[in-house]
Amino acid sequence: MSAQKLSRNLLITVLVAYASHYAAGRFSLKPQASCRCEPSSKRVKPLSRVTSLASLIPPVKAAPLKRIGQTLQRSISFRSDCRPENTAPRPWGRQIAPSITKRRDSKLWSETFDLGLGHMLSSEEIKRQEAIFELSQGEQDLIEDLTLAKKAYRDPMLKLSIMSEHELNQIFGTLDSLIPLHEDLLSRLREARKQDGSTDHVGHILVDWLPCLETYNGYCSNQVAAKALLDHKKQDHRVHDFLQRCLESPFSRKLDLWSFLDIPRSRLVKYPLLLREILKYTPNEHPDRQHLHQAMNMIQSIVADINTQTGESECRYYKERLLYLESGQRDLLIDSSRILSCHGELKNNRGVKLHVFLFQDVLVVTRAITQNEQLCYQLHQQPIPVRDLEWEDLQDGEIRLGGSIRGAFSNSERTKNFFRVAFRSGGQLQMHCFQARDAFNKQQWLNCIRQAKEALGSTESDPQTAARCSDCSADASAECPQMDLTDLTLTPVKT
């Protein structure tokens, strides 16, 4: 090993160790200066293993299409990519013994403050205080994670020249601007806390602070491009080695870099749930209830607006990366599309991997290729207008693989999760058979196609609806069919 490489590895080790010590200090449970009461010395035994408000929120049984911010949750989160990848070891990979994971300690309001006044509070009021404390504690956790992402990832990579400043700015976006934003809210919530640890009013604080969340427009709209660049840079062994060292360090809590960069979006879509929980336990006669209702309306509107702009940004990103083999493949329906309903990897009946995009008015079948070190999508078939598209769910084992007899001599796993789309072109019926990753993924595609057909039919039959849909960004709160379609954006699969 050369002296230069040894020096670089030593510097990486030192910086990762620094991040670990930094994280250990940030996550320690020190008494907060703003809390004017002394923590109870008496240990309160929790009634259950519940340590988060998430367990208090009942599961939502309604269809996911109607949930606010679902596009933000699904189109950006890249569910499988947010977890540590179980890929084959790279030739330059290092074998490191697993380390003890640093877990963030969760706290309940009733475990944090001396509940000498507990006998004076009703069970409903205690639940309300728990919900308010969860809001405050979540802000503190978010600030810690964003600061950690900056100090443990961005700054060391810049110092070691693992990535250029321009690349890091693209990946981290406006993350720096989010930290003081949430520090401001945390400070206000702590000032509103009384000496006994309880809080009477938070509604007016939120009504005054929530407009600041418009800063998230730029951050969320940048995430699609940021994720693509980060995935590309992971092919560089220096980037991969650094990120792997961080992942194996205790401070990461087994979360990869993208998980930290995705935390602000997760926090954004959680605000309506937190406010709904506070409202649930706020009595009708409580003076804070009016402000909480106002705050709820504000956050729903803000999330819907960011949802729309993020969806349009994602649509533009992929349209710019479509490659046409001939001019005849260009379609005005693609150029005019502002909403990407869903997209992801599918296989045809010959096992060829295809990347399929369902825009609001057209289905586009492509092959993922790399051009100039950038992932692009080359059109594989002529674009298919949604109005001419028919679809059919296929039973497992029904599809023929590569022209063979119906699955008789094929592995049964290879004939599962297929569906068929058909359309007429020049008087002839053409068909495509696609295989999804699993049954759930297939159902998502079928739901997407069905919703696209229904939305197109409603806009053609109702000119007023069509006019409203042509400018969704101007009225994000309108019940626009196009907005519903973006809720089923599928997770791209790496090729």
Side-chain angles (χ1 to χ4, degrees):
M1 183 181 295
S2 65
Q4 182 179 4
K5 186 175 182 181
L6 181 62
S7 176
R8 181 177 64 82
N9 288 340
L10 179 61
L11 185 54
I12 291 178
T13 302
V14 171
L15 288 172
V16 172
Y18 162 77
S20 298
H21 288 297
Y22 165 80
R26 293 288 292 181
F27 295 151
S28 61
L29 294 179
K30 299 177 181 179
Q32 300 296 336
S34 61
C35 178
R36 293 180 289 273
C37 64
E38 291 295 330
S40 173
S41 59
K42 181 179 179 181
R43 180 174 180 81
V44 180
K45 183 177 180 179
L47 296 179
S48 67
R49 303 176 68 90
V50 176
T51 56
S52 172
L53 178 63
S55 61
L56 299 178
I57 303 176
V60 180
K61 297 183 180 179
L65 282 176
K66 301 302 181 182
R67 292 173 62 182
I68 294 176
Q70 199 75 11
T71 299
L72 289 170
Q73 289 179 306
R74 295 198 176 191
S75 66
I76 298 177
S77 62
F78 300 95
R79 295 185 294 269
S80 60
D81 294 340
C82 288
R83 305 185 182 100
E85 300 177 7
N86 296 321
T87 56
R90 300 172 184 259
W92 57 79
R94 300 160 41 255
Q95 298 297 328
I96 298 180
S99 58
I100 300 176
T101 303
K102 175 68 179 180
R103 296 186 180 275
R104 170 177 281 138
D105 295 318
S106 299
K107 295 184 294 184
L108 292 172
W109 177 77
S110 56
E111 296 176 322
T112 306
F113 299 98
D114 187 357
L115 289 185
L117 72 165
H119 64 282
M120 302 172 55
L121 300 179
S122 65
S123 60
E124 293 290 301
E125 180 59 26
I126 291 178
K127 291 178 181 179
R128 181 173 182 272
Q129 294 300 323
E130 294 285 7
I132 295 173
F133 182 74
E134 175 75 4
L135 173 64
S136 176
Q137 187 64 29
E139 292 300 301
Q140 179 178 332
D141 293 344
L142 175 62
I143 294 166
E144 290 176 355
D145 285 336
L146 297 186
T147 306
L148 180 65
K150 180 178 184 299
K151 291 186 177 295
Y153 290 91
R154 189 187 187 283
D155 293 351
M157 284 194 286
L158 180 60
K159 185 177 182 63
L160 292 169
S161 299
I162 292 177
M163 289 194 211
S164 68
E165 185 174 6
H166 176 68
E167 290 171 332
L168 290 170
N169 287 340
Q170 284 185 296
I171 292 174
F172 284 80
T174 58
L175 182 140
D176 280 350
S177 67
L178 303 182
I179 297 175
L181 180 72
H182 292 280
E183 287 177 337
D184 178 39
L185 176 58
L186 179 60
S187 175
R188 298 189 194 191
L189 292 175
R190 286 177 173 171
E191 289 177 359
R193 187 181 298 161
K194 299 190 298 185
Q195 290 186 357
D196 59 15
S198 63
T199 303
D200 288 335
H201 303 85
V202 294
H204 67 288
I205 297 175
L206 293 171
V207 169
D208 185 51
W209 178 81
L210 283 174
C212 300
L213 288 179
E214 292 181 359
T215 305
Y216 269 76
N217 271 318
Y219 185 82
C220 292
S221 296
N222 177 65
Q223 279 197 293
V224 176
K227 181 66 167 59
L229 178 58
L230 178 60
D231 286 342
H232 173 68
K233 294 301 296 184
K234 286 180 181 178
Q235 304 305 313
D236 185 333
H237 73 276
R238 297 178 304 164
V239 176
H240 176 270
D241 185 51
F242 177 84
L243 295 180
Q244 188 64 26
R245 287 174 184 261
C246 291
L247 184 62
E248 293 163 347
S249 298
F251 72 82
S252 72
R253 310 196 306 278
K254 295 192 180 301
L255 300 176
D256 62 9
L257 173 57
W258 181 252
S259 296
F260 283 102
L261 296 178
D262 194 47
I263 284 174
R265 176 210 54 81
S266 301
R267 182 64 179 173
L268 181 65
V269 297
K270 192 176 181 180
Y271 281 124
L273 298 177
L274 292 168
L275 285 179
R276 188 175 297 118
E277 196 68 12
I278 297 174
L279 259 172
K280 179 180 178 181
Y281 298 109
T282 300
N284 292 332
E285 65 277 7
H286 198 290
D288 200 30
R289 191 170 181 86
Q290 181 178 355
H291 284 120
L292 287 172
H293 274 297
Q294 185 180 353
M296 174 64 79
N297 293 333
M298 291 175 65
I299 189 59
Q300 289 178 338
S301 177
I302 291 170
V303 171
D305 182 56
I306 295 176
N307 180 28
T308 302
Q309 295 193 35
T310 302
E312 292 180 353
S313 175
E314 181 187 24
C315 185
R316 288 193 302 270
Y317 175 84
Y318 285 111
K319 286 199 301 182
E320 292 170 356
R321 281 152 184 79
L322 293 178
L323 300 179
Y324 301 91
L325 294 176
E326 55 187 33
S327 59
Q329 290 181 322
R330 292 187 173 274
D331 196 308
L332 291 177
L333 292 176
I334 298 177
D335 295 336
S336 61
S337 293
R338 297 175 60 186
I339 300 298
L340 177 59
S341 302
C342 58
H343 70 97
E345 184 185 85
L346 297 171
K347 294 180 181 179
N348 63 14
N349 60 330
R350 296 184 181 274
V352 177
K353 292 181 179 181
L354 303 170
H355 200 98
V356 182
F357 296 89
L358 178 60
F359 295 96
Q360 61 201 53
D361 296 322
V362 62
L363 182 78
V364 182
V365 183
T366 72
R367 285 180 177 174
I369 64 171
T370 301
Q371 186 177 79
N372 298 326
E373 298 186 352
Q374 186 178 64
L375 187 62
C376 298
Y377 304 91
Q378 187 179 79
L379 263 70
H380 179 63
Q381 300 286 344
Q382 192 69 21
I384 306 170
V386 170
R387 63 175 177 272
D388 300 330
L389 188 65
E390 301 296 335
W391 56 274
E392 179 185 3
D393 188 2
L394 300 178
Q395 298 297 320
D396 292 344
E398 181 177 349
I399 191 65
R400 297 171 181 262
L401 296 179
S404 63
I405 299 176
R406 185 195 307 184
F409 305 100
S410 303
N411 185 339
S412 61
E413 293 296 324
R414 296 175 56 204
T415 62
K416 288 184 176 181
N417 308 316
F418 271 91
F419 65 94
R420 179 187 292 127
V421 297
F423 66 101
R424 291 192 176 276
S425 177
Q428 295 183 345
L429 182 65
Q430 300 185 28
M431 292 186 295
H432 294 287
C433 294
F434 296 121
Q435 183 181 31
R437 294 192 306 272
D438 49 45
F440 176 74
N441 186 253
K442 180 179 77 168
Q443 193 59 48
Q444 283 186 302
W445 273 103
L446 295 178
N447 288 341
C448 263
I449 295 171
R450 176 178 56 81
Q451 291 288 333
K453 295 282 292 183
E454 292 176 356
L456 186 63
S458 64
T459 55
E460 289 178 349
S461 61
D462 185 355
Q464 293 183 351
T465 302
R468 184 169 67 246
C469 290
S470 66
D471 190 15
C472 290
S473 61
D475 185 10
S477 62
E479 293 184 0
C480 175
Q482 294 181 2
M483 287 293 296
D484 288 342
L485 289 175
T486 62
D487 292 342
L488 279 175
T489 301
L490 303 179
T491 303
V493 179
K494 294 182 180 179
T495 58

